[in-house]
Amino acid sequence: MSAGRPIEVLLVEDDQGDILLTREAFEYNKVSNRLHVVNDGEQAMAFLRREEGYQDVPRPDLVLLDLNLPRMDGMEVLREVKADPDLRTIPVVILTTSEAEEDILQGYRLHANAYVSKPVDFEQFIRVVRQIDDFFVTVVKLPHLGKRL
């Protein structure tokens, strides 16, 4: 982002081990972006819409979305985000263990900005997080919308 502003990243993940790995990868890579975490799809939508206890959260600049979530799965979250005029400009990266071709195709059909398979190896996981950060912070220009329009 311009002027070195840290970006707000929303991680939608229910696996505590993967949450810890992501936090550690951010710290290891000295990623200055702010990581917010919710544990299911309904919480993700409440966070994104700033509802139900999330009224004062910042608008995410990037969403890292797992597919296998309780209460509302990742594809449902993606479908709702990309159908909502207030949210659809937020880039969504599917970050999941699934390598199923059907999931990859469905993710892109629903307008995911990227589909990344989570490596199980910590060093590879760190590399993947760094690459996502480099791409979405250094290479890509993200809209700075601040407050919801």
Side-chain angles (χ1 to χ4, degrees):
M1 299 280 315
S2 61
R5 179 181 78 82
I7 69 168
E8 304 290 341
V9 178
L10 176 61
L11 174 63
V12 186
E13 174 63 69
D14 66 318
D15 184 288
Q16 294 305 309
D18 287 346
I19 293 168
L20 181 61
L21 273 178
T22 305
R23 286 190 192 282
E24 288 178 4
F26 268 60
E27 289 171 18
Y28 181 87
N29 288 321
K30 295 179 178 36
V31 173
S32 62
N33 302 327
R34 290 186 281 256
L35 184 66
H36 307 272
V37 180
V38 294
N39 301 119
D40 66 50
E42 288 182 8
Q43 287 177 356
M45 293 313 302
F47 188 104
L48 289 164
R49 291 181 175 139
R50 298 179 183 158
E51 302 169 339
E52 301 170 27
Y54 295 103
Q55 292 87 343
D56 297 324
V57 299
R59 177 189 170 93
D61 298 297
L62 175 65
V63 175
L64 301 178
L65 178 65
D66 187 28
L67 292 182
N68 304 311
L69 298 167
R71 296 175 55 194
M72 176 187 230
D73 73 31
M75 290 297 183
E76 292 173 276
V77 171
L78 181 60
R79 184 178 290 111
E80 281 201 31
V81 167
K82 294 304 180 178
D84 186 323
D86 290 334
L87 303 176
R88 72 172 53 133
T89 58
I90 300 172
V92 177
V93 174
I94 295 173
L95 184 60
T96 187
T97 54
S98 174
E99 294 184 21
E101 187 69 19
E102 177 182 315
D103 287 341
I104 296 168
L105 285 170
Q106 181 69 2
Y108 284 117
R109 282 186 189 121
L110 294 174
H111 306 288
N113 296 84
Y115 190 105
V116 179
S117 293
K118 284 184 209 169
V120 288
D121 174 77
F122 180 66
E123 293 300 320
Q124 288 179 328
F125 192 88
I126 286 173
R127 210 168 306 123
V128 164
V129 170
R130 169 91 277 167
Q131 289 170 339
I132 291 170
D133 181 64
D134 283 347
F135 184 71
F136 282 97
V137 177
T138 307
V139 178
V140 173
K141 293 289 184 201
L142 295 175
H144 176 48
L145 301 175
K147 299 206 183 299
R148 192 170 13 185
L149 299 175

